[in-house]
Amino acid sequence: MDVKVNGTGYVVDADPDAPAVTVLRDGVGLTGTKLVCGAGVCGACTVQVDGTPMVSCLLPAAALCGREVTTVEGLSGSHPVQRAFAAHDALQCGYCTPGFVVEGAAFVDRWRAEHGDVAPSRAEIARALSGHLCRCGAYASIHTAIAAACTGAHDTEDVRPARVEAMEKITGRARYTTDVRLPGRLEGVIVRSSSPHALIRSVKAAGDTAFVDLLPADRIVRYIGQPIAAVAGRTRAEASAAASQVLVEYEELPPVLDAEAAQRPGAPLVYSTKAERKAAPSSGEGAPSLPTSWNGNVRGPSSLGWRGRTAARRVEEAKQRNDSRLVTATFSTPVQVHTALEPHSCVAHWQPDGSLDLYVSTQAVGAVAESAAEHWGLRPEQVHVVAEHVGGGFGAKTALTAEAIVAGELAKQADAPVRVVLDRSEELTVTGYRPGTRTEVSLLADENGDMAALTMDVHGDGGVAIGSMVAGLGRLVYGTGPRRLRDFDVLTNQSPGAPFRGPGGPPMAWALERSIDEMAVRLGEDPIALRRRWDGNKKRHALYDWAAALPAWTQRPAAGAQTGRFRRGIGVAAANWMYFVDGNTEVELVVDGGVVLARTTVQDMGTGIRSVIHGILRQDLGLPDDRVRVEIGRSGPRHGPTSGGSRTTPSVAPATRDAARLLRQALGVAAGSVADRLGSADGTRVVGKRKRDRRGYVTPFAMDNLSVGRGFSGAVHVTEVEVDTRLGKIRATRVWGGIAAGHIYDDRLARSQCEGSIIQGVGFALYEQRHVDPATGIVLTDNLEDYRIPGIGDTPEIEVHFHHDGWDHVTGGGVGIGELATLGVAASVGNAVRNATGWSPQDLPIRPDVLLEGIRS
Ligand code: FES
């Protein structure tokens, strides 16, 4: 087949019915165009065909013949939209970026031809880009970039990109795991269980394809989609055909498909022996689950309360006397799926010397290298993990997972590189999720309006995984009043949950912060004033003062006082988070050809750590941009952190600063730029370390290199919503996010992180919900049309405020923000809906049907 792409003709051996995107990526080798949803929903595969943007996943390859195709590579980095994306940091992980850029370029050209150099409205930009999704939530900056490009502001001048790899990402040059092309590479496909609960009697592959058995020792599958085996083929189609030939003999066992059924007396057991329970996966963030009891499919309670009996007694007595200062309610949150746009993927390649190269889309190059060495019985230096760019993770990519094990095993058998890339259905069904929750809360105030008691019972639904920690987080907020906090896991035959940005935090904030608002109503007190009074944290006091002074807050409508179809509401919620750090982090600097080269074992999944390292070295060594190079995304001798628990920047940045100090010493330059000394310093090498905090850490020793630092970060979110009381629609129109996390290493990138966190919080509040067929256990929302994440039109205007004080004891002066900035968002949306309508939502997401029913009642 002849195709002309970016002005060059190619002859490609391809099935004319194959999706055009695979021909462009695998046939032509232009991997800037990304394949994400495969259903025309997300726009990541957008190319211009004769100047018109089209999604190439729905376009048959034959439709490209005789047409002029332009991919992101064809825009060559000089289109005003590309410059604008770089200047305004309209990207994070960058996996969606090529699609946005290709569509944006066509829109800007058309807009300027029709309207001249004027900025379109937010609504016009949202309409033009409504066919694109960005899971990182870079929408606010995308708005800014498109508007600026339309005015001609980026026609000529070259700008300094806000992040160092921006040009690679906006030109399609950035290489992700899914883009790795090795000669002779095979494709691997995983055969998955079609039964929610069964004993597998036998598994047989047809033919002599490379084949891996993935069943656990007991040969029992416990959820639909559990890996059973894997096969390889020359192409994905060939591998899929081989997978369909694998014969699996099931002996069906009775399943439990939802949390309610799992708790009924006599329900079938997901785990029936002590050993099985011990081997259960965890949905928690690394820490081992607290030992506790089991009762059938219910595990728990795990309790982290404080004077729990007193709290329970006070609540009971208040119930008996019908105390109006007792707030009791049951709240629920849905399963929320990570769905990073780059799917879980791995390319494995065994070298002749027995070492293993693993290209993995991961948040943990170091930890994955260690696990891989252990799994295959190799020495640490025999495993090389590479994740040059990572298309998002959000907590689902912190370990050696099935796709990497499969790729490694198949590659060994086939004696050839093997790539395994999960499709969107797999991504949305078996790679983890934030467990759903059901929370019973009782919150009591005494006659002075002080907190007298808090009880929270949370049942977490993490499928076959344990480790729900939601109620326990209630230990950390609002002083030391008595509280009984109990977490339970309800086991079902569903795929395992996994840590998701601020594990447990958003469900806890949803229940507690909604209850605090109800208490404010009962006490007749301003909701911010009540929180300030109950909350002893000085950092959050500063945020409450900032929030209380916002004009939107001072002018907010009285709760439920509005009439008419459209009603505006303002809500607030507070949150805090732990400060995590990897105290063993090192950064190595080497002078190489007049350039300072920085290395550590860390990865950048869109958080911007590459740019933070670059910025610190530029500043501390007085160097221009091109005299600093950062090489990360590889396992190596210099230990670095997993990107989880918001620990990356607080671990890496101080080690970078220490390395810069040591390099100055080594070069003998006390002040000013070191540039003049670099030419004669080739080979100079120093290693900076992340120095211990002044007051040490809460945890006496690091577990898996993770320490809990002293102090809690703080957030206060204020959200404005517009409620359409006829159609039941809620729009978050403006969000103010106050963040107290100390020193901010890169203001622009930190704001971008917070904006993305806020957008994910809006998604949790209003749109995201996994649905499972109750009769079969099949996940129904296994595509991006049915699993709804926020688009650009759902993006509120966002203002982020940083409070810097209170972290002098921390080396570097700053802690993490990525989780903190999402925790209270959904609760602030709920409280804003309460303010607008007088109706008190208890279940997330606040769907139109639920809202209409609520306000009618
Ligand atoms: Fe859009 Fe990551 S930057 S998905």
Side-chain angles (χ1 to χ4, degrees):
M1 178 185 303
D2 294 336
V3 289
K4 194 169 176 196
V5 187
N6 302 332
T8 303
Y10 297 88
V11 181
V12 189
D13 176 20
D15 176 353
D17 294 329
V21 61
T22 48
V23 173
L24 293 170
R25 287 177 56 81
D26 296 339
V28 180
L30 292 171
T31 55
T33 305
K34 304 301 185 211
L35 175 59
V36 173
C37 70
V41 180
C42 75
C45 63
T46 301
V47 297
Q48 292 180 13
V49 180
D50 291 338
T52 302
M54 294 184 183
V55 285
S56 58
C57 67
L58 295 184
L59 205 61
L64 300 182
C65 294
R67 319 280 288 273
E68 291 282 343
V69 181
T70 306
T71 68
V72 68
E73 291 93 341
L75 298 177
S76 59
S78 57
H79 192 282
V81 156
Q82 289 174 298
R83 290 203 186 97
F85 266 57
H88 297 282
D89 196 37
L91 60 141
Q92 289 184 27
C93 80
Y95 209 72
C96 69
T97 306
F100 271 101
V101 164
V102 170
E103 181 93 49
F107 169 70
V108 168
D109 293 345
R110 196 171 64 246
W111 176 268
R112 295 176 74 184
E114 290 171 4
H115 303 274
D117 294 348
V118 293
S121 67
R122 278 176 64 85
E124 281 159 334
I125 293 171
R127 202 174 307 126
L129 297 176
S130 60
H132 293 258
L133 293 173
C134 171
R135 188 48 161 163
C136 297
Y139 297 124
S141 304
I142 292 171
H143 267 293
T144 310
I146 295 284
C150 284
T151 65
H154 297 286
D155 281 358
T156 52
E157 91 284 23
D158 276 329
V159 291
R160 168 193 267 179
R163 60 184 76 213
V164 289
E165 78 280 13
M167 291 310 289
E168 286 177 59
K169 288 179 173 173
I170 61 176
T171 56
R173 288 201 311 268
R175 195 172 69 150
Y176 298 81
T177 300
T178 50
D179 303 332
V180 171
R181 293 160 57 85
L182 299 178
R185 182 195 70 195
L186 304 177
E187 298 277 353
V189 166
I190 298 174
V191 178
R192 297 185 180 277
S193 172
S194 59
S195 167
H197 199 190
L199 173 68
I200 304 300
R201 288 278 174 210
S202 65
V203 189
K204 283 194 207 88
D208 59 355
T209 176
F211 173 88
V212 183
D213 186 323
L214 296 168
L215 285 166
D218 62 6
R219 315 295 285 172
I220 291 177
V221 287
R222 290 185 169 81
Y223 60 92
I224 290 177
Q226 182 170 335
I228 289 179
V231 293
R234 277 177 309 152
T235 62
R236 189 173 169 92
E238 203 178 285
S240 297
S244 68
Q245 301 291 313
V246 174
L247 294 174
V248 182
E249 193 190 341
Y250 296 87
E251 180 185 322
E252 297 291 342
L253 301 171
V256 277
L257 299 177
D258 64 63
E260 212 180 302
Q263 294 177 74
R264 282 189 204 124
L269 295 180
V270 176
Y271 299 117
S272 43
T273 67
K274 216 169 166 183
E276 288 173 359
R277 290 168 174 173
K278 212 167 164 204
S282 173
S283 61
E285 182 116 82
S289 302
L290 297 172
T292 183
S293 56
W294 289 72
N295 180 10
N297 288 311
V298 179
R299 177 183 174 275
S302 313
S303 183
L304 274 183
W306 166 256
R307 295 171 60 202
R309 282 202 195 128
T310 304
R313 179 177 45 78
R314 286 182 181 176
V315 165
E316 209 40 57
E317 289 168 358
K319 274 184 194 161
Q320 300 299 325
R321 62 175 184 266
N322 270 334
D323 194 325
S324 64
R325 289 162 304 195
L326 175 68
V327 173
T328 58
T330 301
F331 296 92
S332 74
T333 59
V335 162
Q336 185 186 28
V337 187
H338 305 72
T339 196
L341 289 203
E342 184 183 28
H344 285 69
S345 45
C346 178
V347 182
H349 187 196
W350 290 89
Q351 299 294 341
D353 64 1
S355 64
L356 174 62
D357 294 345
L358 277 182
Y359 303 84
V360 194
S361 182
T362 180
Q363 301 171 225
V365 283
V368 166
E370 280 171 28
S371 302
E374 201 178 312
H375 181 86
W376 279 289
L378 301 171
R379 295 189 306 279
E381 64 275 16
Q382 287 180 293
V383 179
H384 312 114
V385 171
V386 181
E388 202 174 333
H389 297 284
V390 183
F394 315 113
K397 296 179 179 172
T398 56
L400 182 74
T401 38
E403 74 286 355
I405 293 170
V406 166
E409 295 289 348
L410 290 174
K412 200 169 198 178
Q413 280 192 30
D415 196 21
V418 170
R419 176 173 82 161
V420 178
V421 178
L422 301 196
D423 64 22
R424 192 50 43 181
S425 173
E426 291 173 298
E427 200 62 32
L428 282 163
T429 54
V430 293
T431 61
Y433 53 84
R434 188 191 297 287
T437 61
R438 187 172 179 281
T439 300
E440 288 159 50
V441 180
S442 294
L443 178 63
L444 178 68
D446 63 18
E447 57 281 3
N448 300 318
D450 295 330
M451 187 199 282
L454 167 67
T455 64
M456 290 179 90
D457 280 356
V458 183
H459 287 76
D461 179 5
V464 298
I466 59 170
S468 176
M469 171 61 87
V470 177
L473 297 172
R475 175 76 175 82
L476 312 175
V477 284
Y478 297 120
T480 55
R483 56 198 72 195
R484 190 191 67 190
L485 308 166
R486 302 193 299 189
D487 277 298
F488 300 84
D489 291 300
V490 182
L491 279 294
T492 61
N493 289 111
Q494 293 292 338
S495 64
F500 189 155
R501 201 172 209 163
M508 200 284 286
W510 172 247
L512 182 59
E513 291 296 303
R514 288 281 304 107
S515 301
I516 297 269
D517 247 46
E518 292 306 312
M519 181 61 79
V521 172
R522 304 275 177 98
L523 299 178
E525 190 169 357
D526 177 291
I528 293 181
L530 173 61
R531 286 176 171 85
R532 197 184 191 289
R533 203 159 58 73
W534 279 14
D535 189 342
N537 185 299
K538 284 202 177 60
K539 295 186 273 290
R540 274 197 303 280
H541 279 187
L543 295 180
Y544 292 131
D545 295 344
W546 161 81
L550 290 170
W553 183 259
T554 57
Q555 294 158 22
R556 76 190 186 285
Q562 298 168 74
T563 56
R565 175 174 170 180
F566 293 98
R567 299 177 199 172
R568 178 178 155 269
I570 304 279
V572 67
N576 72 347
W577 200 239
M578 290 150 283
Y579 147 44
F580 296 111
V581 65
D582 182 337
N584 297 322
T585 299
E586 297 176 333
V587 172
E588 177 184 85
L589 301 183
V590 182
V591 180
D592 180 19
V595 168
V596 174
L597 172 61
R599 289 195 187 107
T600 183
T601 303
V602 75
Q603 51 290 313
D604 192 340
M605 57 170 178
T607 57
I609 191 61
R610 191 182 264 110
S611 305
V612 168
I613 297 170
H614 198 267
I616 289 172
L617 294 177
R618 277 196 329 259
Q619 189 183 37
D620 288 12
L621 299 174
L623 291 172
D625 289 359
D626 59 355
R627 304 293 291 276
V628 177
R629 201 164 76 237
V630 182
E631 283 186 4
I632 57 171
R634 286 168 186 275
S635 56
R638 300 299 162 209
H639 174 83
T642 291
S643 293
S646 300
R647 82 188 89 156
T648 308
T649 301
S651 305
V652 174
T656 307
R657 194 139 266 167
D658 187 52
R661 179 184 64 79
L662 293 172
L663 187 62
R664 271 194 178 282
Q665 273 177 15
L667 297 175
V669 183
S673 173
V674 302
D676 290 347
R677 301 298 290 271
L678 295 182
S680 56
D682 244 28
T684 305
R685 182 183 304 263
V686 296
V687 177
K689 294 186 187 310
R690 205 288 181 187
K691 296 278 185 336
R692 198 172 162 78
D693 286 354
R694 190 144 44 85
R695 285 158 38 208
Y697 305 122
V698 175
T699 40
F701 51 86
M703 281 181 57
D704 280 342
N705 297 298
L706 184 71
S707 296
V708 180
R710 295 191 183 280
F712 293 102
S713 52
V716 174
H717 288 95
V718 175
T719 296
E720 177 190 73
V721 298
E722 181 191 81
V723 180
D724 179 343
T725 56
R726 190 174 300 164
L727 298 181
K729 284 191 177 170
I730 301 165
R731 269 194 330 125
T733 47
R734 290 189 288 176
V735 178
W736 293 262
I739 302 293
H743 176 65
I744 298 296
Y745 288 93
D746 184 315
D747 188 81
R748 184 68 205 88
L749 268 52
R751 281 177 199 281
S752 184
Q753 272 291 294
C754 294
E755 289 161 2
S757 299
I758 286 168
I759 288 165
Q760 283 191 356
V762 170
F764 188 54
L766 299 178
Y767 311 120
E768 297 188 37
Q769 183 170 28
R770 188 186 74 167
H771 288 284
V772 175
D773 179 352
T776 62
I778 293 172
V779 174
L780 302 171
T781 45
D782 73 339
N783 60 78
L784 283 176
E785 194 139 32
D786 294 326
Y787 187 83
R788 163 100 153 80
I789 63 173
I792 191 166
D794 305 312
T795 305
E797 291 180 43
I798 298 172
E799 189 179 310
V800 176
H801 165 82
F802 290 122
H803 176 69
H804 300 275
D805 299 345
W807 296 97
D808 295 342
H809 62 286
V810 170
T811 305
V815 301
I817 57 171
E819 296 173 297
L820 174 67
T822 201
L823 304 177
V825 176
S828 73
V829 171
N831 289 336
V833 171
R834 167 81 165 87
N835 177 248
T837 64
W839 167 68
S840 199
Q842 289 173 214
D843 305 309
L844 289 181
I846 315 174
R847 292 192 320 254
D849 58 315
V850 177
L851 176 98
L852 289 176
E853 200 183 317
I855 56 179
R856 267 201 299 269
S857 65

